[in-house]
Amino acid sequence: MSRYPESVDVAIVGSGPTGAAYARILSEQVPRARVAMFEVGPTVSDPPGAHVKNIEDAEARAAAQRRSEGPGAGEATVDNPGAVKSGERRARPGTFLLSDGYRVDDEDGLPVAAFSSNVGGMAAHWTGACPRPGGSERIAFLPDMDELLDEADRLLGVTTDAFDAAPFTALVRERLAAVVDDGREPAAQVQRMPLAVRRREDGRLVWSGADVVLGDVTRGNPNFSLHDESLVTRVLVEDGRAAGVSVRDLRTGDVHEVRARFVVVAADALRTPQVLWASGIRPEALGRMLNDQTQVVYAARLRDVGPAAAAQVAASGALSEQSGVSWVPFTDEVPFHGQIMQLDASPVPLADDDPVIPGSIVGLGLFCAKDLQWEDRVEFTDQPDPYGMPAMRLRYTLTDRDRAVLERAREEIVRLAKAVGEPLGDRPFTMPLGASLHYQGTTRMGEVDDGRSVCGPDCEVWDVSGLFVAGNGVIPTATACNPTLTSVALAVRGARTIARKLSFV
């Protein structure tokens, strides 16, 4: 017998934060609705979708990461910027690279475009940063954007006080603010980074994954089911309306059809257009306006700090208990977003007689907004990828404006490094394109159906009623800030639309 239901009210493709947001809102607002979620990768954590950093045993955590690497499992990975400098194309643990088609001759491409395949998606591996968009990052035609962002904060469990006790966090912010804040609106001044994290009673940090978005209400919903190792190969369309999905059980190879009143494709910004393309759903804007964030990184050693302040604080997880995480917001005048946090060790070898005070080495990262271009896109070929889906080819080029902004970011990050301490290394390092993992725009939202967008303001695909898209690909603006909070906010809007329609069925 099939492990899948014959029919449901809503089929969700993908188990990351946005797919989880649809399941959560539907469980809260229409709990009688039957909802099935399909994920191509395995379950690697308990509860399903939890962040792997919450796995305390190092060997178990590494095993969960390997199981998330899909067709890249077993290949060498790297998890620090220093190793990237060698020029090797390596994915970070828990992810796998696009093996081919990542660059076309005479274009820049996205050489380290990466994916994860596991319940929870990339949210099982992310840094948890949830800044709000500002200026031109915001979607001007959505009047309820702030309320949607508030709801996304709730679903992701966003806080700003998790590192308030860190001894160096106020010092880092003060030094940054001294060179950044002048002339900025309060909302754009240096501040704590909003993070999807909470602190347990025993003091340990718990990072939010899709499990937090799903919440107890979804896990306890008898009408919700989660199916891992299940590849949705296409959306079924009848008479211009979504009618279900075709699913291949990766455990057995069997193919099943699951009928549905509504279908949500939330399979990341590259695989969501892939599913639509494979389904014959090919609006002109599909895959277009692909954009990522170029990323510049540097490091500095905090000056004038002693060991006493940090002696009683132990590091936990990938981010610092000593210097916290600070945020330099994007503005239209300074078009990059800054994230400043501790590095576990100096990227530059220090003398043996020059010991490192815990928390005193901070990493600085600036993310640049892309100059949006219609020709930047993901295309699909007749060749199969490792899952048997249409193989991808990325068309991607930096403009003169992109290069000018990137040069400004290099200059700015040196200025910020000097403000907080002593810069380490001769110059900042520009990460390979695709390293931010913040791919956007490929199923972009539009206010009207003018051929330049895939879906409307409620995330419903223009030409196929009942079909919704979710994820970073829906964001229509050029952003420099981490996109997860925005994409979850947009998923809330779409989920509420389905909930309203189901309430009348």
Side-chain angles (χ1 to χ4, degrees):
M1 294 180 62
S2 169
R3 61 185 174 115
Y4 306 118
E6 291 186 1
S7 66
V8 293
D9 294 301
V10 184
I12 301 173
V13 184
S15 63
T18 58
Y22 272 84
R24 172 74 170 271
I25 296 299
L26 292 170
S27 293
E28 290 178 342
Q29 297 192 2
V30 280
R32 295 177 61 184
R34 296 165 299 157
V35 179
M37 176 179 284
F38 303 93
E39 167 58 50
V40 67
T43 300
V44 301
S45 61
D46 183 19
H51 202 301
V52 298
K53 281 191 296 192
N54 298 333
I55 302 174
E56 297 185 16
D57 180 78
E59 290 187 5
R61 183 167 59 252
Q65 291 172 325
R66 287 193 298 272
R67 296 187 67 210
S68 302
E69 292 166 6
E75 296 183 7
T77 58
V78 64
D79 61 355
N80 67 81
V84 178
K85 294 179 183 179
S86 66
E88 294 178 317
R89 288 186 65 249
R90 289 190 181 185
R92 279 168 274 188
T95 72
F96 61 96
L97 298 180
L98 185 62
S99 60
D100 194 15
Y102 52 85
R103 183 193 291 119
V104 172
D105 290 345
D106 300 321
E107 295 183 359
D108 296 295
L110 293 173
V112 292
F115 312 81
S116 64
S117 289
N118 53 271
V119 171
M122 200 67 79
H125 315 283
W126 68 323
T127 64
C130 290
R132 293 201 173 199
S136 60
E137 293 181 310
R138 292 176 60 88
I139 304 170
F141 58 80
L142 293 183
D144 54 348
M145 196 67 211
D146 287 323
E147 187 273 328
L148 294 172
L149 291 167
D150 288 343
E151 184 70 343
D153 278 341
R154 176 182 77 93
L155 297 184
L156 286 160
V158 175
T159 64
T160 58
D161 58 3
F163 292 102
D164 278 359
F168 298 149
T169 184
L171 177 65
V172 171
R173 285 203 305 275
E174 288 173 8
R175 292 179 176 179
L176 289 170
V179 298
V180 170
D181 284 358
D182 187 39
R184 287 186 173 223
E185 296 292 328
Q189 293 178 349
V190 174
Q191 56 196 274
R192 300 174 178 87
M193 175 66 77
L195 295 168
V197 63
R198 65 178 175 85
R199 194 174 292 277
R200 299 189 323 199
E201 290 185 3
D202 64 5
R204 287 191 60 85
L205 296 174
V206 179
W207 297 92
S208 295
D211 65 317
V212 171
V213 181
L214 288 170
D216 291 338
V217 67
T218 308
R219 283 187 290 272
N221 181 359
N223 292 315
F224 170 75
S225 58
L226 170 60
H227 307 276
D228 64 0
E229 299 182 82
S230 300
L231 173 67
V232 171
T233 57
R234 62 190 178 96
V235 176
L236 308 177
V237 179
E238 297 175 0
D239 300 322
R241 179 174 181 82
V245 294
S246 180
V247 187
R248 183 189 307 144
D249 187 340
L250 297 185
R251 300 176 186 174
T252 66
D254 296 336
V255 176
H256 304 270
E257 287 191 356
V258 177
R259 308 291 293 182
R261 292 190 174 98
F262 298 91
V263 174
V264 179
V265 184
D268 79 38
L270 296 176
R271 288 183 284 190
T272 291
Q274 182 186 50
V275 172
L276 268 59
W277 178 270
S279 307
I281 303 167
R282 302 175 181 180
E284 187 177 5
L286 185 68
R288 297 278 183 170
M289 298 290 201
L290 170 64
N291 68 97
D292 187 35
Q293 298 163 355
T294 51
Q295 184 179 356
V296 181
V297 297
Y298 206 21
R301 183 173 185 172
L302 296 179
R303 60 177 179 272
D304 304 324
V305 296
Q312 302 303 315
V313 184
S316 173
L319 300 184
S320 171
E321 294 272 7
Q322 284 83 25
S323 55
V325 187
S326 298
W327 173 30
V328 180
F330 164 95
T331 69
D332 292 330
E333 295 74 26
V334 187
F336 20 81
H337 144 90
Q339 188 166 310
I340 293 86
M341 57 191 179
Q342 179 200 353
L343 294 178
D344 292 333
S346 171
V348 177
L350 300 176
D352 292 339
D353 60 352
D354 191 14
V356 175
I357 296 170
S360 65
I361 305 296
V362 296
L364 301 93
L366 292 182
F367 298 77
C368 305
K370 179 73 171 72
D371 192 9
L372 299 185
Q373 299 185 104
W374 184 253
E375 293 305 313
D376 289 335
R377 62 195 186 275
V378 53
E379 300 177 332
F380 302 99
T381 73
D382 294 333
Q383 299 299 312
D385 72 3
Y387 287 109
M389 297 291 284
M392 301 176 188
R393 181 169 57 224
L394 304 183
R395 308 294 304 273
Y396 197 78
T397 304
L398 298 183
T399 67
D400 290 342
R401 180 182 179 278
D402 290 328
R403 297 184 191 282
V405 170
L406 186 55
E407 184 57 34
R408 284 183 62 190
R410 294 189 186 104
E411 296 172 357
E412 178 68 3
I413 205 168
V414 171
R415 190 174 78 97
L416 298 181
K418 290 179 177 178
V420 298
E422 174 191 351
L424 299 177
D426 297 334
R427 66 183 69 87
F429 175 60
T430 302
M431 298 288 281
L433 296 182
S436 81
L437 307 178
H438 295 166
Y439 323 124
Q440 300 168 60
T442 52
T443 53
R444 66 197 311 261
M445 174 186 288
E447 185 174 13
V448 296
D449 184 9
D450 59 1
R452 306 284 289 185
S453 59
V454 172
C455 68
D458 292 329
C459 304
E460 189 170 16
V461 173
W462 289 117
D463 295 330
V464 183
S465 60
L467 174 60
F468 290 71
V469 285
N472 295 343
V474 176
I475 299 172
T477 55
T479 72
C481 72
N482 311 64
T484 302
L485 186 75
T486 300
S487 62
V488 169
L490 300 181
V492 168
R493 205 171 207 274
R496 289 173 174 173
T497 299
I498 294 176
R500 287 193 300 270
K501 293 182 177 182
L502 281 173
S503 67
F504 295 104
V505 173

